[in-house]
């Protein structure tokens, strides 16, 4: 399967006003055309939008959208999924129009996480005009990364690695106390990092359950100053810092994590590792950061 990148995220929120303030005033994203009182659409680059946040009764991930190159690639993806026994459903015209894409299928991963695979997303050719001069790193690397809860970690890894075709970049053993919602007690639980492109990871697999259906998502900024200013804005807005500034060992990202509205985190980072998939070998990391990243609570 030829998935190219994490294209978009769709979220449901019980507090759209809080998300509007957080995304626009703190993260420095831009409200996209098509935003309504009930749905906030966010631009970070030349795509029509990359994040959709809908007002609703719960705080949860509605879909992680994965991009393929064209209609033929989507047809092939659907056929491979069905051959593997994964139910797929084609989007109707209203869904295509809402997502600004030309073709799309819905599916879930083996742990029930909602996914969409699509091609042909519309662009917005007007200047992005971020509020703080901040610029996001996207392009062929996609939106950033998302970490999904997968209590059945072995089945999930097999699905993403061998069916969706993502490359395993590295893995880390988590102690039992780091995975209180694991399906079974073990001496340690593997967490895995994968990508379909040269961004070190576009997907993290966390081996426990979490109610929002998302652990965190990461957006990457072009400069360290973009991240530092974002940290200042986060503190000034009174948003809890979930993890202090630090540099990860695996993707070398310098980042901090903030509590997003809805019980999960947003990672705001810079200097993520670009890998060569042709020469990459999967490894184990034995610490998640070289320095920093002190977790609060
Ligand atoms: Fe991350």
């Amino acid at each position: 399967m030829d998935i190219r990148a994490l294209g978009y995220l769709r979220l449901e929120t019980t507090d759209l006003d809080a998300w509007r303030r957080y995304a626009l005033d703190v993260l420095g994203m831009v409200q996209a055309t098509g935003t309504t009182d009930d749905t906030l659409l966010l631009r970070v680059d030349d795509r029509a939008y990359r994040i959709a946040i809908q007002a609703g009764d719960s705080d949860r991930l509605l879909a992680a959208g994965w991009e393929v190159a064209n209609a033929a690639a989507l047809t092939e993806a659907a056929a491979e999924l069905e051959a593997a026994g994964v139910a797929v459903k084609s989007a109707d015209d209203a869904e295509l129009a809402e997502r600004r894409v030309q073709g799309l299928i819905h599916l879930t991963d083996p742990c029930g996480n909602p996914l969409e695979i699509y091609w042909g997303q519309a662009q917005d050719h007007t200047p992005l005009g971020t509020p703080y001069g901040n610029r996001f790193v996207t392009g062929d690397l996609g939106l950033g990364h998302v970490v999904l809860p997968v209590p059945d970690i072995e089945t999930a890894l097999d699905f993403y690695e061998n069916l969706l075709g993502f490359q395993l970049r590295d893995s880390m053993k988590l102690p039992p106390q780091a995975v209180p919602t694991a399906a079974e007690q073990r001496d340690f639980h593997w967490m895995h990092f994968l990508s379909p492109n040269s961004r070190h990871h576009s997907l993290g697999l966390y081996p426990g359950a979490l109610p929002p259906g998302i652990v965190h998502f990461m957006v990457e900024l072009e400069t360290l100053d973009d991240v530092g200013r974002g940290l200042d804005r986060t503190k000034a807005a009174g948003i809890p810092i979930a993890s202090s500034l630090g540099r990860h060992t695996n993707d070398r990202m310098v980042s901090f994590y903030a509590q997003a509205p809805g019980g999960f985190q947003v990672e705001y980072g810079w200097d993520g590792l670009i890998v060569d998939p042709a020469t990459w070998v999967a490894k184990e990391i034995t610490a998640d950061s070289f320095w920093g990243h002190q977790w609060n609570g």
Side-chain angles (χ1 to χ4, degrees):
M1 199 174 303
D2 190 15
I3 290 173
R4 298 291 175 86
L6 175 65
Y8 59 72
L9 293 172
R10 303 180 65 81
L11 301 164
E12 182 176 85
T13 180
T14 56
D15 193 347
L16 190 58
D17 285 340
W19 258 111
R20 194 174 280 116
R21 288 192 299 272
Y22 180 52
L24 302 179
D25 300 343
V26 179
L27 297 177
M29 296 177 176
V30 175
Q31 183 169 302
T33 302
T35 292
T36 66
D37 286 348
D38 295 331
T39 303
L40 173 64
L41 303 179
L42 296 166
R43 277 185 74 193
V44 300
D45 60 7
D46 59 357
R47 298 301 181 89
Y49 66 87
R50 290 283 198 176
I51 300 176
I53 306 178
Q54 296 179 6
D57 297 332
S58 60
D59 294 288
R60 64 190 172 109
L61 179 74
L62 294 175
W66 298 96
E67 187 169 74
V68 295
N70 49 42
L74 184 62
T75 301
E76 186 183 310
E80 287 182 39
L81 287 161
E82 287 180 329
V86 177
V88 302
K89 181 171 163 286
S90 293
D92 60 28
D93 288 346
E95 289 170 326
L96 296 180
E98 199 286 329
R99 286 158 177 72
R100 310 291 306 275
V101 302
Q102 296 178 57
L104 183 146
I105 55 174
H106 301 274
L107 63 145
T108 58
D109 77 9
C111 297
N113 293 302
L115 309 179
E116 297 176 357
I117 301 175
Y118 73 92
W119 74 275
Q121 191 185 27
Q123 293 179 282
D124 184 332
H125 301 290
T126 60
L128 184 60
T130 54
Y132 309 106
N134 53 292
R135 297 178 64 86
F136 295 91
V137 177
T138 58
D140 292 345
L141 304 176
L143 167 61
H145 70 233
V146 63
V147 178
L148 300 178
V150 287
D152 186 348
I153 186 75
E154 286 88 3
T155 304
L157 177 63
D158 181 54
F159 173 83
Y160 285 103
E161 191 177 15
N162 298 318
L163 186 54
L164 267 59
F166 293 8
Q167 187 175 51
L168 179 64
R169 296 287 155 77
D170 42 45
S171 306
M172 181 170 67
K173 290 174 180 170
L174 300 180
Q177 59 268 29
V179 198
T181 55
E184 60 181 69
Q185 282 308 309
R186 296 180 181 177
D187 293 341
F188 64 85
H189 302 273
W190 282 113
M191 177 165 184
H192 301 292
F193 301 88
L194 307 95
S195 185
N197 58 47
S198 57
R199 187 188 286 284
H200 174 277
H201 59 279
S202 300
L203 175 70
L205 298 176
Y206 171 79
L210 281 179
I214 177 171
V215 182
H216 73 257
F217 71 81
M218 184 283 301
V219 287
E220 183 175 1
L221 284 297
E222 272 194 9
T223 72
L224 178 60
D225 291 342
D226 286 337
V227 173
R229 292 188 191 107
L231 181 57
D232 284 352
R233 292 192 300 272
T234 303
K235 290 176 174 170
I239 293 168
I241 304 294
S243 169
S244 64
L245 196 70
R247 188 188 282 272
H248 280 304
T249 55
N250 60 353
D251 65 356
R252 313 291 164 90
M253 184 82 70
V254 175
S255 64
F256 71 94
Y257 294 67
Q259 293 292 356
F264 59 94
Q265 288 98 41
V266 172
E267 181 181 6
Y268 206 65
W270 163 75
D271 203 26
L273 183 66
I274 305 294
V275 313
D276 177 1
T279 59
W280 185 261
V281 292
K283 294 181 277 293
E284 177 188 352
I285 56 167
T286 57
D288 62 357
S289 304
F290 291 117
W291 54 267
H293 285 143
Q294 261 95 44
W295 287 87
N296 300 310

